[in-house]
Amino acid sequence: MADTGRHLDAEGWRALQRKEPEAVAYFARHLAAPCDVCEEFLAAEQEEDALGLEALADEALGEAAGPAREDAVGWARLRRRLGAPRRAWLAGAVAAAVAAGLAVLVLPQVMRTETTPSQRIKGTVPLVLELAAMAKLPNGETPPVRDDTVLPPEAVVLLHYHSSEAADALLLREAPGLPTQVLGRYELEPGTNPLREGADLAGVSLEGEQGPVTLVLVAWPKGPGSREAVEQAAGQGAVPPDAVRARLHLRVDPGHAAP
Amino acid sequence: MTEEEVAVCIQRAARGEQDACRQLYQRFHGSVRRVAFGFSGLGPAEVEDVVQETFARAFRELPRLQHPRAFSRWLVTIARNHALALSRGERVRALAAEHLSREVEDIAPAVPPSLGVERRVAVVRALIEELPEGPEKETARLFYLEGELSAREIAERLGLGKSAVTMRLERFRARVKRELLARLLAAEVE
């Protein structure tokens, strides 16, 4: 590579792919300054790119503009292509209307909780966790959902929780004969609130479901070890027997129009 | 999202957790879309197809990805190959299909510290800044720094043909590649 006037061509490119020391040393120096001839060569797609140069460039060029706006439509379209069970997010006016509906849904008969003794530290008040829900139906109605409600697969279940204190939580889905699936991680605030992911209302789409489905909110009082407990349970894909949890049992029936 | 958070998200997404897939989609759809937008032969619907196909394939094959740090580079590689396959002739389509079949293994995970993504982004911005004021700089600025317009839309805004905008973008991208290659090779020499 003694030719100091040499520019990138197919031969030089192959030498770089093989990381031949002379070629590497020469082009490291040569390409440090703008070179129209070499840039013209680099503008063309090369069949071999062991250095991963195309990806290095595309990644940097794609990041230069900073974070992109949230793309709810694109994600919703992609989500439909991914496997069931599917999550759903409502944003904007629809979310506001549904959240308003959920706010008046805090009725004892639709709240479910299961507390376990191991969560109770002696001398402290145990975490109280309750779960309520309503369904968003294709016709726009949003009826309350109680235990054992039958829903069509087109419904989206929107959850509302009551927590006696701040907690780290996991939402799981159980169905007979299927592994427990993690649907999401949440930070619960004290009081009664809709389950949210950022600005969106989090929900569970029943698309592709049939038969009994149980949604389980599992929580640990916020503090040392609570996030680790969430991650451990998520990793195991199981509802830990010692956690505070609230369950909602549903049945999905494709022939069912509305609760 | 920090690099660590992205790595955790990738692990969760590989287990099929959809909230993790959603976070990754929202974090990276802009970069993937920018790759597709650079192909002026692609219309808006085809650009969306590239984005959809890229993420669908990535999430399907995520368990095969051994290095979370390579995720973003892997995504843009898939996107470029899909965009190429959609926009070019038979020979390039065949080549893109071949690349698609082996891209998971091909992405080199090791990048020298001098070529971390933040450093490379700084290189891109500096190269745009160094361009003399004029249509070349305006095209690169609109496309890569504002990041909202496609090559087609920039052509309309600047009153140019699509090919003129594509040529400018390709020329600028080649300049970025030259600068990055020089740094990559310099790191090899050191």
Side-chain angles (χ1 to χ4, degrees), chain A residues 1-68:
Chain A
M1 202 60 62
D3 183 0
T4 54
R6 188 175 173 198
H7 299 287
L8 260 182
D9 56 14
E11 189 188 335
W13 181 252
R14 279 195 297 274
L16 291 180
Q17 305 308 302
R18 292 192 295 268
K19 296 192 177 176
E20 290 178 11
E22 276 186 46
V24 168
Y26 171 77
F27 281 111
R29 285 193 307 275
H30 178 76
L31 296 173
C35 172
D36 288 343
V37 179
C38 290
E39 287 175 16
E40 194 175 330
F41 175 82
L42 287 169
E45 296 285 340
Q46 305 303 323
E47 292 194 11
E48 190 184 2
D49 184 17
L51 299 170
L53 185 60
E54 299 285 348
L56 285 172
D58 279 336
E59 185 185 36
L61 289 163
E63 293 283 318

Side-chain angles (χ1 to χ4, degrees), chain B residues 119-182:
Chain B
R119 295 270 190 102
R120 278 179 282 137
V121 167
V123 166
V124 169
R125 290 183 176 148
L127 286 174
I128 292 175
E129 191 58 35
E130 286 168 12
L131 288 170
E133 292 300 329
E136 192 102 19
K137 183 173 189 170
E138 183 65 357
T139 303
R141 192 188 62 76
L142 283 171
F143 191 78
Y144 289 118
L145 294 187
E146 293 204 357
E148 295 286 339
L149 300 176
S150 66
R152 279 185 173 198
E153 290 165 331
I154 290 172
E156 284 168 18
R157 179 183 284 200
L158 299 182
L160 295 165
K162 284 187 297 184
S163 58
V165 170
T166 303
M167 205 181 300
R168 286 175 189 172
L169 291 175
E170 282 178 357
R171 200 156 48 221
F172 179 72
R173 188 169 174 276
R175 183 166 295 185
V176 171
K177 283 168 70 177
R178 193 264 308 151
E179 183 70 35
L180 296 182
L181 180 57

